[in-house]
């Protein structure tokens, strides 16, 4: 079975679509092969496509300074299927994978310290998922009596939940001051 399922070039950069279980093998080849020399892992990020069965893309951006080239390697996963950690190949992947875990909930199997990095340890959910509510689940405030930060469920009044999506100019039904003069001139 092929480790790379698709290749393309966009904006002069190579993009490889790889199988999830072959990501370590593909990255190791790109790093160690004399014709590639992609020695630097510049970034690991996630992309959320909630309409797909495997809703997440995990994107590895590599740089070859010896060839002055960049490569982007993409794999897909879902909410429950872990992605092999590449921290054994690139130590920089440690924080990037923690960030993808924290913000998207992408689980990296074999990561030595997979815990939240951007949000608080008590934070619920993954805020960059497209189905994450815009208001979040909890809000925090400093309680002066308890002398500490207190988490509480988000309370929104119903007025803030209903939107009419009309501009103020389309929603006005009455006659504005001065409109009667325009009617007379037409």
């Amino acid at each position: 079975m092929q480790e790379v399922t698709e290749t393309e070039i966009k904006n002069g950069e190579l993009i490889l679509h790889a199988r999830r279980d072959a990501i370590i093998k593909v990255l190791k080849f790109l790093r160690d092969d004399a014709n590639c020399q992609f020695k630097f892992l510049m970034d690991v990020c996630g992309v959320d496509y909630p309409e797909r069965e495997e809703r997440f893309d995990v994107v590895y951006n590599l740089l070859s300074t010896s060839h002055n080239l960049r490569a982007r390697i993409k794999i897909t996963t879902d909410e429950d299927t872990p992605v092999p950690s590449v921290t054994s190949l690139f130590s920089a992947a440690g924080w990037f994978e923690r960030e993808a875990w924290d913000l998207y909930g992408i689980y990296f199997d074999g990561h030595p310290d997979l815990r939240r990095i951007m949000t608080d340890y008590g934070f619920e959910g993954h805020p960059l998922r497209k189905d994450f509510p815009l208001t979040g689940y909890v809000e925090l405030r400093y309680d002066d009596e308890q002398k500490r930060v207190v988490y509480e469920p988000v309370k929104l009044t119903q007025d803030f939940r209903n939107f009419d999506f009309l501009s103020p100019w389309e929603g006005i039904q009455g006659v504005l001051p001065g409109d009667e003069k325009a009617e007379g001139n037409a």
Side-chain angles (χ1 to χ4, degrees):
M1 184 181 276
Q2 294 285 330
E3 283 79 13
V4 176
T5 58
E6 182 183 341
T7 61
E8 59 184 312
I9 295 180
K10 281 189 177 173
N11 300 324
E13 293 184 8
L14 175 65
I15 300 173
L16 304 174
H17 298 263
R19 287 191 2 250
R20 180 179 47 247
D21 58 340
I23 187 63
I24 292 177
K25 186 176 181 182
V26 170
L27 291 179
K28 185 173 174 59
F29 173 81
L30 292 171
R31 183 190 70 176
D32 298 339
D33 186 75
N35 294 322
C36 297
Q37 297 290 312
F38 289 99
K39 299 282 186 188
F40 296 97
L41 176 68
M42 303 307 295
D43 192 13
V44 177
C45 57
V47 184
D48 187 11
Y49 299 100
E51 68 279 359
R52 294 190 332 200
E53 186 175 324
E54 290 196 336
R55 66 183 286 181
F56 299 112
D57 275 359
V58 180
V59 183
Y60 301 85
N61 292 305
L62 300 178
L63 172 67
S64 170
T65 54
S66 59
H67 299 297
N68 194 23
L69 292 173
R70 292 179 185 270
R72 181 171 296 144
I73 295 83
K74 293 182 178 182
I75 61 172
T76 60
T77 190
D78 58 23
E79 298 174 7
D80 302 321
T81 308
V83 173
S85 174
V86 298
T87 54
S88 60
L89 294 176
F90 298 100
S91 61
W95 283 25
F96 297 141
E97 290 178 351
R98 284 180 61 188
E99 185 177 357
W101 158 250
D102 190 6
L103 300 178
Y104 289 100
I106 299 169
Y107 184 77
F108 291 90
D109 191 29
H111 190 284
D113 186 22
L114 193 62
R115 57 188 163 100
R116 293 192 180 270
I117 191 169
M118 303 291 283
T119 60
D120 194 17
Y121 293 115
F123 193 85
E124 291 182 28
H126 304 283
L128 286 186
R129 286 186 177 186
K130 290 187 177 172
D131 55 358
F132 188 81
L134 294 177
T135 56
Y137 297 109
V138 294
E139 58 190 352
L140 60 100
R141 66 177 175 82
Y142 181 77
D143 189 283
D144 200 36
E145 293 177 9
Q146 297 180 31
K147 302 292 184 201
R148 66 180 181 92
V149 174
V150 177
Y151 289 87
E152 298 171 337
V154 172
K155 296 177 208 163
L156 285 179
T157 60
Q158 196 60 34
D159 293 343
F160 293 109
R161 294 184 187 264
N162 292 329
F163 301 101
D164 59 6
F165 301 108
L166 293 175
S167 77
W169 307 111
E170 294 169 343
I172 296 174
Q173 301 298 322
V175 177
L176 294 173
D179 281 354
E180 67 280 355
K181 295 176 188 172
E183 293 283 327
N185 293 336

